[in-house]
Amino acid sequence: MTDHILIERPEAHPGVLVIRFNRPEKKNAITQAMYAKMTDGLLAAEDDPAIRCVAFLGTEGCFSAGNDMADFLAFAMAGAVGEPAAFGFLKALWSVSKPVVSGVDGLAIGIGTTIQMHCDMTIASDRSLFRTPFVDLGLVPEAGSSLLAPRMMGHQRAFAMLAASEGFSAEEARAAGLIWKVVAPEAVEAETLKLAASIAAKPPEAMRIARDLIRGDRGELLVRMEEELAFFVERLKSAEARAAFEAFLKAKG
C-alpha cells in the first residue's frame, strides 16, 4: 500500500521533503508499490524549486530491512521481464539534482544500506546495523554499490560488506565513510531534519554546482547499475536464489 511510504513537507523545516518508510510491522521491507511511491516523491522534489533537500527516514529501530522477500520470490517464480520498480527508484535517486540526506535508526539491510551510498550525508543511531546479504541469497550487489563501495571504503571493506555479507556497526560504517555522524537513537530524526533544513537554506545554485563537482561524472555509475541489474535479474530467476529465498521465507514463517 502507498501509505507504507509517507511523503511529508514539515512546516518547521521549509525547503525539505521527507520520504519516510512506514511499514514497521514488516521492518519497512520494500514492495514494488513502495518503490513507485518513493520514485514519485523524488520526481516531485526535482520538479519543485521550493524543495531544496530530500531526507529519508525510517521508523523507530528500523530504517529498512531491504526488499520484501515475498515480492521478490513472486517476481522470480513468475519469470517477470522488464525493469523492476526498484531500478526506476534507483535511477531517480541517482539523477536527482537536490541534495539527499538520510537518518538511520536500527536495521539498514540490503538496499537499506546501499541507498546510503547515494546520500550526501547520513546520520545514524549508535544501535544501527548495516548489512548487504546479496550473495547469501544467491544474488549480486545492486544500486551501483559494486562501483561506489570500493571507492568509498577500499576493496577489503567493500568485499566484507558486499560479498562476505559482514554486518557493519554504526561506528564501523562511519569509519568506512558510509555515514557521516553517529548519535543517540532519540536524536536521529531531529538531527537529520536540522541538517536537511540547514542544507536547504543555502544558496541553491551554488549548492547544485558544488554537489555536482563532488559527485563527478555519474554516467559510469548508471552503466554499472544497468550491468548489476542484468546480473541481478538473471540471478533472481536462478535455482540457487530461489532455494535461498524459500529457505529464508520458511525460517521466517
Side-chain angles (χ1 to χ4, degrees), residues 8-94:
E8 306 165 340
R9 299 187 183 209
E11 291 185 7
H13 302 285
V16 176
L17 184 137
V18 175
I19 299 176
R20 186 189 299 273
F21 294 107
N22 185 44
R23 199 188 181 200
E25 71 281 4
K26 294 292 185 179
K27 298 182 180 178
N28 296 330
I30 311 171
T31 63
Q32 299 293 296
M34 291 167 70
Y35 277 120
K37 184 72 176 287
M38 290 194 292
T39 301
D40 289 345
L42 288 171
L43 294 177
E46 184 67 13
D47 291 341
D48 188 344
I51 299 300
R52 297 184 176 183
C53 186
V54 176
F56 283 93
L57 290 169
T59 51
E60 183 179 357
C62 186
F63 181 73
S64 175
N67 289 303
D68 184 290
M69 292 300 179
D71 243 26
F72 262 61
L73 184 59
F75 179 92
M77 297 190 73
V81 296
E83 182 179 289
F87 194 65
F89 163 70
L90 290 170
K91 286 199 295 186
L93 181 60
W94 160 81

Side-chain angles (χ1 to χ4, degrees), residues 123-140:
I123 292 174
S125 74
D126 53 17
R127 64 181 177 183
S128 295
L129 172 68
F130 300 86
R131 185 168 179 264
T132 60
F134 302 127
V135 173
D136 287 354
L137 294 170
L139 302 174
V140 297

Side-chain angles (χ1 to χ4, degrees), residues 35 67 86-91 93-94 109-119 132 134 140-150 152 162 178 218 220-230 232:
Y35 277 120
N67 289 303
F87 194 65
F89 163 70
L90 290 170
K91 286 199 295 186
L93 181 60
W94 160 81
I109 308 300
I111 198 166
T113 286
T114 57
I115 195 175
Q116 312 310 323
M117 298 179 191
H118 293 267
C119 291
T132 60
F134 302 127
V140 297
E142 35 81 309
S145 58
S146 63
L147 178 68
L148 295 173
M152 182 179 292
L162 298 177
L178 180 66
R218 306 298 277 180
E220 184 182 9
L221 177 59
L222 182 58
V223 170
R224 179 59 62 88
M225 286 170 61
E226 290 174 339
E227 183 180 6
E228 289 173 345
L229 176 64
F232 198 96

Side-chain angles (χ1 to χ4, degrees), residues 237-249:
K237 298 172 183 176
S238 69
E240 191 174 62
R242 291 188 192 188
F245 274 39
E246 288 167 354
F248 176 86
L249 292 173

Side-chain angles (χ1 to χ4, degrees), residues 199-229:
I199 291 171
K202 298 184 185 300
E205 187 62 14
M207 176 60 73
R208 183 192 64 77
I209 295 169
R211 182 173 184 259
D212 284 347
L213 289 169
I214 292 167
R215 282 156 51 101
D217 179 17
R218 306 298 277 180
E220 184 182 9
L221 177 59
L222 182 58
V223 170
R224 179 59 62 88
M225 286 170 61
E226 290 174 339
E227 183 180 6
E228 289 173 345
L229 176 64

